[in-house]
Amino acid sequence: MDIRIGNGYDVHALATGLPMWLGGVQIPSENGFVAHSDGDVAIHALCDALLGCLALGDIGHLFPDTDPKWKGVDSKLLLREVVDLIHTKGYKVGNVDITIALQRPKLAPHIGTMRQTLAPILGVTHDRVSIKATTTEKLGFVGRQEGCEVWASALILKD
Ligand code: MG
């Protein structure tokens, strides 16, 4: 059996008055992420995990932030492109696991919607999409509400 694993990590800074997109879902918040794209830091970490499975580089390489094509782009489109790439290499997604560190707002009410949103893009059922959220107990840049940190793991299988 040919299985591959990958991990991804991303950080985005928070600023007032910007929309907050996380896991493909808009979260009601007075703060949002500073970014060239929509700033969905969870999807970015997930894309890097998937790309890592096949040593395909990272999303900065695939979708450079110097390219106006990706300005304000819905990160779900980037994830779709990455999944397509995995498929063209003859693999399918097995499961993914994402951990989001954010001080506030509380993400628990949105986790289910995120899983339901990402699963069809990944081509899996939502029970193969794990999303966990934690605060950092007010410690560090996450705790000071300066930014959000996300770790993602992915497993893919030869189709
Ligand atoms: Mg990013």
Side-chain angles (χ1 to χ4, degrees):
M1 187 162 56
D2 187 347
I3 61 173
R4 303 286 194 95
I5 62 164
N7 73 85
Y9 170 76
D10 199 21
V11 169
H12 277 267
L14 281 163
T16 49
L18 294 174
M20 178 181 284
W21 285 92
L22 262 181
V25 172
Q26 189 167 10
I27 311 291
S29 168
E30 67 269 28
N31 293 336
F33 300 120
V34 180
H36 185 70
S37 67
D38 67 3
D40 193 324
V41 56
I43 288 186
H44 297 175
L46 177 56
C47 285
D48 273 359
L50 289 165
L51 292 169
C53 290
L54 293 174
L56 293 172
D58 56 54
I59 56 167
H61 168 77
L62 238 65
F63 314 110
D65 63 8
T66 47
D67 188 340
K69 185 179 170 189
W70 308 117
K71 178 136 182 63
V73 70
D74 180 343
S75 293
K76 291 189 283 295
L77 296 179
L78 307 184
L79 180 59
R80 245 174 227 123
E81 296 237 357
V82 168
V83 172
D84 281 351
L85 191 55
I86 299 279
H87 289 165
T88 59
K89 300 284 182 185
Y91 288 81
K92 65 179 181 184
V93 176
N95 71 296
V96 302
D97 185 21
I98 299 168
T99 301
I100 304 170
L102 184 70
Q103 191 59 41
R104 63 189 295 272
K106 287 275 177 234
L107 295 177
H110 308 288
I111 298 286
T113 316
M114 290 182 197
R115 295 173 66 206
Q116 297 285 0
T117 302
L118 297 184
I121 302 171
L122 293 165
V124 297
T125 47
H126 78 281
D127 61 335
R128 289 169 178 264
V129 181
S130 164
I131 302 180
K132 311 181 301 290
T134 183
T135 70
T136 59
E137 301 292 342
K138 300 189 176 164
L139 295 170
F141 71 86
V142 170
R144 292 189 298 271
Q145 298 181 56
E146 293 167 3
C148 176
E149 205 170 15
V150 179
W151 297 262
S153 302
L155 184 144
I156 63 173
L157 309 99
K158 195 85 179 183
D159 207 3

